[in-house]
């Protein structure tokens, strides 16, 4: 089973999450960063082209053998779908059309959701904004592994399995840790997605639908682009709970690697986050950062000091210690 992790509990802290206070300090020194706030007018064209590319790809993969279909799903379709998941992430912050047009953002989220195969754009927004506001909260922040996950997957092999199963933990963990009743928009999202899925099966075939779903699942697990799930908030250096990555995979993930910058300024679109780092470089260049998402996955599995326990947690507000 491999080496057992050296931690036996999460990293409990009793301070506020660090981003709100750093945001205030940075804006006092560099008020020009406020000019970077607002939606990116080019984003909708880039994300829309990704959706259309994936739909066109269905007519190619429908006749592939299963081995070639799986390879295509892992090497191409999964990457495109993962990029669309991160487009949904941008949309959750209203960065497609701006805060003044929330329904434009929601409808575009439905559209970007289509190739992913699973209805997630509205549910993601519901939980993701709480992750920002209550980072590390033991109940509200569903990005943090459960205690059961940390105890079950506490060896080298266990962590490898956990990484492979990440998509399922991301799907089902919020429903267990912090369940919420479905909203009307979530129901609409589900109806639109199931209608699209049925149309793909009817007009193109089951293989095309399998390509979309398998690609989404594979690219959320043991895949280089999925390294950001672990790189963002797993504690690789004591005392630091958010990490940035400035490598080339940012080009296909809407700069999600600029994660300290994103949490400090969630109203800045991904395309402008490098400018935040350039302006306030003394705040970001001195913090621990990752140079490779693939290396992150390797270190997470092989390093006994890192694992599902390696997360900063805070007691839920109003609960006794």
């Amino acid at each position: 089973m491999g080496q057992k992790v050296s931690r036996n509990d999460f990293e409990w802290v009793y301070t506020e999450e660090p981003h709100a206070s750093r945001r205030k300090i940075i804006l006092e020194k560099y008020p020009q960063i406020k000019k970077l706030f607002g939606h990116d007018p080019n984003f909708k064209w880039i994300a829309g082209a990704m959706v259309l590319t994936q739909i066109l790809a269905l007519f190619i993969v429908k006749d592939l053998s299963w081995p070639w279909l799986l390879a295509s799903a892992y090497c191409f379709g999964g990457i495109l779908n993962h990029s669309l998941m991160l487009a949904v992430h941008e949309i959750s912050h209203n960065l497609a059309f701006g805060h003044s047009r929330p329904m434009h953002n929601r409808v575009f989220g439905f559209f970007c959701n289509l190739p992913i195969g699973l209805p997630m754009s509205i549910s993601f927004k519901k939980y993701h904004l709480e992750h920002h506001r209550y980072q590390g909260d033991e109940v509200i922040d569903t990005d943090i592994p459960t205690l059961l996950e940390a105890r079950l997957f506490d060896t080298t092999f266990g962590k490898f399995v956990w990484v492979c199963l990440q998509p399922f933990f991301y799907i089902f963990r919020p429903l267990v840790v912090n369940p919420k009743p479905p909203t009307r928009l979530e129901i609409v999202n589900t109806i639109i997605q199931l209608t699209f899925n049925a149309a793909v099966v009817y007009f193109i075939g089951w293989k095309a639908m399998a390509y979309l779903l398998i690609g989404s699942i594979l690219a959320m697990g043991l895949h280089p682009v999925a390294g950001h799930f672990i790189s963002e908030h797993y504690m690789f250096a004591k005392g630091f709970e958010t990490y940035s990555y400035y490598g080339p995979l940012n080009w296909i993930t809407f700069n999600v690697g600029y994660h300290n910058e994103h949490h400090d300024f969630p109203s800045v679109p991904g395309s402008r986050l490098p400018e935040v780092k350039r302006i306030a470089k003394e705040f970001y260049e001195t913090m621990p950062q990752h140079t490779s998402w693939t290396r992150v996955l390797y270190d997470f599995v092989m390093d006994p000091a890192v694992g599902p326990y390696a997360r900063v947690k805070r007691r839920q507000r109003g609960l006794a210690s």
Side-chain angles (χ1 to χ4, degrees):
M1 297 295 287
Q3 200 169 5
K4 196 175 180 68
V5 296
S6 57
R7 299 186 64 94
N8 58 16
D9 198 3
F10 297 99
E11 182 80 3
W12 291 95
V13 300
Y14 301 91
T15 57
E16 294 293 321
E17 61 87 17
H19 300 287
S21 58
R22 187 161 61 231
R23 180 186 311 125
K24 182 178 179 180
I25 294 169
I26 292 176
L27 286 177
E28 286 176 354
K29 187 172 183 180
Y30 300 111
Q32 65 266 39
I33 287 179
K34 291 182 179 179
K35 296 179 180 179
L36 302 176
F37 291 6
H39 72 287
D40 177 358
N42 295 320
F43 169 81
K44 58 183 177 292
W45 304 114
I46 297 170
M50 288 181 173
V51 173
L52 296 178
T53 299
Q54 191 70 304
I55 291 173
L56 290 174
L58 299 180
F59 294 94
I60 299 173
V61 302
K62 68 183 180 68
D63 296 319
L64 294 179
S65 65
W66 280 106
W68 278 107
L69 185 142
L70 291 173
S72 299
Y74 188 88
C75 298
F76 179 74
I79 295 173
L80 208 53
N81 276 5
H82 201 95
S83 294
L84 286 169
M85 293 177 195
L86 294 169
V88 168
H89 167 255
E90 289 278 290
I91 294 165
S92 73
H93 292 284
N94 289 330
L95 296 174
F97 293 94
H99 291 289
S100 63
R101 293 187 284 180
M103 276 309 300
H104 286 67
N105 289 284
R106 302 293 79 74
V107 171
F108 192 59
F110 297 154
F111 179 67
C112 290
N113 196 157
L114 294 177
I116 297 169
L118 301 169
M120 50 79 71
S121 67
I122 299 298
S123 299
F124 176 83
K125 178 180 185 294
K126 184 166 64 174
Y127 285 103
H128 181 69
L129 297 186
E130 290 186 339
H131 161 65
H132 273 264
R133 187 173 181 183
Y134 303 103
Q135 181 175 309
D137 186 288
E138 61 181 334
V139 173
I140 299 176
D141 187 357
T142 58
D143 187 65
I144 299 174
T146 62
L147 182 60
L148 181 62
E149 290 171 62
R151 287 178 174 172
L152 285 177
F153 304 101
D154 64 348
T155 63
T156 301
F157 179 72
K159 290 188 289 181
F160 173 80
V161 172
W162 184 87
V163 168
C164 294
L165 296 177
Q166 258 195 124
F168 303 101
F169 291 122
Y170 266 86
I171 291 168
F172 295 112
R173 188 190 298 137
L175 306 179
V176 175
V177 175
N178 189 20
K180 300 174 184 289
T183 65
R184 184 175 63 178
L185 282 178
E186 282 179 292
I187 295 171
V188 172
N189 190 181
T190 301
I191 292 171
I192 292 172
Q193 188 64 54
L194 293 179
T195 301
F196 174 80
N197 292 357
V200 169
V201 171
Y202 183 81
F203 290 107
I204 309 177
W206 280 103
K207 272 192 174 180
M209 193 67 240
Y211 161 81
L212 294 178
L213 289 172
I214 292 171
S216 293
I217 292 170
L218 289 178
M220 289 180 70
L222 193 65
H223 196 290
V225 294
H228 77 90
F229 286 134
I230 293 172
S231 77
E232 290 166 357
H233 296 293
Y234 284 81
M235 196 176 64
F236 284 79
K238 190 173 178 64
F240 293 88
E241 56 187 291
T242 305
Y243 301 78
S244 287
Y245 156 81
Y246 301 118
L249 288 179
N250 279 302
W251 302 341
I252 57 172
T253 55
F254 298 100
N255 283 331
V256 75
Y258 287 75
H259 216 65
N260 267 303
E261 294 84 347
H262 168 62
H263 270 261
D264 288 351
F265 299 100
S267 293
V268 174
S271 60
R272 298 176 196 152
L273 289 175
E275 182 66 7
V276 171
K277 178 179 181 284
R278 188 193 68 78
I279 293 171
K281 59 184 178 182
E282 71 272 25
F283 289 90
Y284 298 111
E285 291 181 351
T286 57
M287 287 191 286
Q289 55 190 252
H290 294 293
T291 57
S292 166
W293 281 341
T294 304
R295 183 57 189 261
V296 165
L297 292 173
Y298 177 84
D299 288 344
F300 180 85
V301 172
M302 301 304 295
D303 187 348
V306 186
Y309 275 127
R311 288 294 296 262
V312 170
K313 289 186 77 171
R314 296 173 171 85
R315 298 292 181 188
Q316 188 182 23
R317 296 180 182 181
L319 293 182
S321 297

